[in-house]
Amino acid sequence: QTVQILLALLMVLVAVTEGIGLLLLVPIIDQLQSGSGSNNPVVRLLVDSLTALGLPAGLGGMLLAFLALTGLREWLRFRRDTETARLQFKVVDHHRERCFRLILGAEWSFVNRHDLAHYGTILVTDINRIGQGFRFALNALATLVLLVVYLAAAMTLSPWMTLVALASAVALLLLLGKFRSQATRLGQALTGSNKAIHGCMQQSLSGLKMAKILGSESRLLQEFHTEV
């Protein structure tokens, strides 16, 4: 529970620092181009905050604040990625232990319906894929939080351009929607292929001694090549 709360907090902080950095670029560009400040109230609030912190509101102070904010954001991002990996490994270990416990507690008549390669694939490959999927979901959530902050910052700077970009993004998502079903079919095919490869490897290794005695290594190699 603590890891989840910390991870959620880090996602929000990374997104907030990213949004503030984006807004801070506006007065920096204004200073570089004309030396005048921005009329945007939010940007003016950032400049006033620099003054309140004792930093000069000129270009030097803004660049210093931007560099400090960038360093803070990268440190927060590192912590977020670390906690994401930690939570992923916890999920993988939990599901692998739970699955193995269920296999040990099942009736032999049920376990004997599949060969050992089937259970090996579940405990190693499929559980790892669950962990990878869980991490992808966390990364998607972090991207969603960042997108919300980006939208808020963009609406602050230019509402109409933000709406145009948002409409274009929605249209692009609708066009790419058909690829989701293809990805599902590819995932199912990959699961079947992994089970077949595990079964072939187990069968080949268990019969390796006999294959060497009979000189049939080429046949095992051909069967492995067919499965792969």
Side-chain angles (χ1 to χ4, degrees):
Q1 188 70 23
T2 305
V3 178
Q4 290 92 320
I5 296 175
L6 178 60
L7 182 57
L9 180 61
L10 289 171
M11 288 181 181
V12 173
L13 290 177
V14 169
V16 169
T17 53
E18 189 85 24
I20 295 175
L22 178 63
L23 291 175
L24 194 57
L25 285 175
V26 177
I28 291 176
I29 295 175
D30 284 342
Q31 289 284 338
L32 290 174
Q33 289 182 343
S34 60
S36 60
S38 174
N39 294 324
N40 190 285
V42 177
V43 176
R44 292 304 307 171
L45 177 61
L46 291 175
V47 176
D48 294 340
S49 299
L50 292 178
T51 305
L53 292 174
L55 296 174
L59 181 61
M62 293 179 187
L63 289 176
L64 181 62
F66 183 78
L67 289 176
L69 193 64
T70 301
L72 176 62
R73 182 193 64 206
E74 293 305 317
W75 180 79
L76 290 172
R77 184 176 294 173
F78 171 76
R79 287 296 311 276
R80 182 199 65 187
D81 294 341
T82 302
E83 295 301 324
T84 299
R86 182 175 300 163
L87 187 56
Q88 175 191 357
F89 295 146
K90 284 187 176 181
V91 169
V92 169
D93 292 341
H94 169 73
H95 281 80
R96 182 171 288 134
E97 181 181 352
R98 182 168 180 263
C99 186
F100 190 60
R101 186 184 296 113
L102 291 174
I103 293 174
L104 292 177
E107 296 291 337
W108 177 249
S109 59
F110 175 82
V111 176
N112 200 36
R113 295 177 185 176
H114 304 280
D115 54 18
L116 297 180
H118 171 78
Y119 300 107
T121 302
I122 293 176
L123 292 172
V124 179
T125 305
D126 292 348
I127 298 296
N128 283 336
R129 288 176 63 191
I130 290 176
Q132 293 172 1
F134 182 74
R135 181 160 189 167
F136 289 153
L138 291 178
N139 290 338
L141 180 60
T143 303
L144 180 61
V145 174
L146 184 60
L147 179 61
V148 171
V149 174
Y150 274 161
L151 286 175
M155 288 292 290
T156 300
L157 298 174
S158 179
W160 288 110
M161 290 299 297
T162 303
L163 291 176
V164 172
L166 186 60
S168 301
V170 171
L172 182 61
L173 287 176
L174 292 177
L175 290 176
L176 296 178
K178 63 179 181 180
F179 293 103
R180 286 189 301 234
S181 58
Q182 296 179 3
T184 301
R185 290 195 297 269
L186 287 175
Q188 293 172 348
L190 180 61
T191 300
S193 298
N194 285 330
K195 290 180 180 179
I197 291 173
H198 274 272
C200 180
M201 285 192 299
Q202 182 183 7
Q203 182 178 359
S204 299
L205 293 176
S206 62
L208 184 60
K209 181 178 180 180
M210 185 59 65
K212 287 185 172 296
I213 294 175
L214 300 177
S216 57
E217 295 93 336
S218 59
R219 181 180 62 82
L220 292 181
L221 181 61
Q222 181 61 36
E223 292 177 356
F224 183 79
H225 177 72
T226 302
E227 292 295 341
V228 174

